[in-house]
């Protein structure tokens, strides 16, 4: 009998405008970097008394800070379900093969990453519902692999929260399918975990 597999594609659902993104970069990346550049130059010049060395070191510190802050800004936006300009749709999405029938567990690090992403997600976004369904599928796959009822109950909790969120907001057909798929998989395994 052929194993049934589900490919779940999950990622940001909205795109921010270029103008808003530039304003965010200026506010959260360029402005702090400029302040650090000035402060670093003054502090380094006091100790080294060398204009060229002070400018070089402060520029390195400032550009490193700017790159780090812009990376964190992109990650923050993607956790909120927003794809920044310059990041293609394909790059912003992650693919996982979920198949509880396979008996193969999902890596705990992946699950922890999704739990953290869910904690930072905007509960009003469609991305939040997709993350709940995804996390529920991961819990279910590990529940089957380890024969662990606690993980099965976590999957049911994710389903309940996802169903509640779907009723409160308008979501895409794909997101509804994720929730429906989780519901049917839980229904399939409920007898295994002593439920009727």
């Amino acid at each position: 009998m052929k194993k049934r597999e589900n490919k779940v594609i999950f990622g940001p659902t909205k795109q921010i405008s270029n103008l808003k993104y530039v304003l965010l970069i200026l506010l959260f990346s360029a402005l702090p970097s400029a302040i650090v550049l000035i402060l670093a130059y003054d502090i380094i010049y006091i100790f080294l008394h060398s204009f060229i060395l002070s400018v070089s070191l402060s520029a390195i510190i400032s550009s490193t800070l700017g790159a780090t802050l812009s990376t964190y800004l992109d990650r923050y936006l993607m956790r909120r379900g927003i794809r920044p300009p310059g990041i293609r749709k394909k790059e912003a999405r992650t693919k996982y093969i979920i198949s509880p029938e396979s008996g193969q567990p999902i890596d705990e690090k992946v699950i922890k990453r999704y739990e953290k992403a869910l904690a930072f997600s905007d509960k009003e976004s469609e991305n939040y519902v997709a993350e709940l369904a995804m996390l529920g599928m991961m819990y279910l796959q590990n529940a089957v692999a380890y024969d662990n009822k606690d993980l099965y109950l976590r999957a049911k909790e994710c389903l309940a929260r996802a169903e509640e969120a779907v009723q409160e907001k308008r979501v895409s057909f794909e997101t509804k399918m994720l929730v429906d798929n989780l519901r049917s998989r839980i229904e399939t395994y409920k007898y295994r975990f002593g439920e009727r």
Side-chain angles (χ1 to χ4, degrees), residues 4-63:
R4 192 174 63 153
E5 290 187 346
N6 245 358
K7 185 179 286 183
V8 180
I9 302 173
F10 164 75
T13 54
K14 293 180 281 187
Q15 186 171 2
I16 191 169
S17 72
N18 289 336
L19 179 62
K20 284 183 183 175
Y21 184 69
V22 168
L23 290 174
L24 285 173
I25 286 288
L26 287 174
L27 185 63
F28 292 107
S29 180
L31 183 63
S33 297
I35 293 169
V36 167
L37 176 69
I38 294 165
L39 292 175
Y41 169 77
D42 287 343
I43 293 168
I44 294 169
Y45 188 76
I46 288 169
F47 288 106
L48 300 178
H49 301 291
S50 169
F51 174 76
I52 295 171
L53 198 55
S54 299
V55 168
S56 301
L57 288 175
S58 59
I60 290 169
I61 292 168
S62 175
S63 59

Side-chain angles (χ1 to χ4, degrees), residues 87-190:
I87 297 179
R88 292 181 303 173
K89 206 178 268 190
K90 195 173 182 181
E91 291 170 355
R93 292 177 177 256
T94 310
K95 294 180 184 177
Y96 289 100
I97 304 293
I98 304 290
S99 179
E101 295 87 357
S102 70
Q104 298 297 315
I106 303 280
D107 188 348
E108 288 295 320
K109 289 179 184 175
V110 174
I111 293 177
K112 292 288 180 198
R113 194 179 85 205
Y114 271 87
E115 288 172 341
K116 285 180 183 174
L118 190 65
F120 287 105
S121 275
D122 178 8
K123 290 182 173 49
E124 299 304 314
S125 72
E126 181 173 348
N127 205 50
Y128 176 72
V129 182
E131 283 179 358
L132 273 173
M134 186 72 165
L135 190 58
M137 289 291 280
M138 290 179 178
Y139 283 146
L140 183 62
Q141 182 152 340
N142 280 10
V144 172
Y146 298 130
D147 200 23
N148 185 323
K149 188 170 182 180
D150 288 338
L151 290 173
Y152 169 78
L153 293 175
R154 281 194 203 173
K156 281 189 69 176
E157 181 185 329
C158 285
L159 174 63
R161 289 165 62 194
E163 287 177 329
E164 183 180 329
V166 165
Q167 288 174 356
E168 291 174 0
K169 60 180 72 66
R170 184 178 292 182
V171 297
S172 67
F173 176 74
E174 290 82 8
T175 303
K176 282 182 184 172
M177 288 301 293
L178 283 176
V179 176
D180 290 344
N181 189 34
L182 176 59
R183 186 187 307 108
S184 76
R185 292 297 181 92
I186 286 174
E187 192 69 26
T188 301
Y189 288 101
K190 70 178 185 180

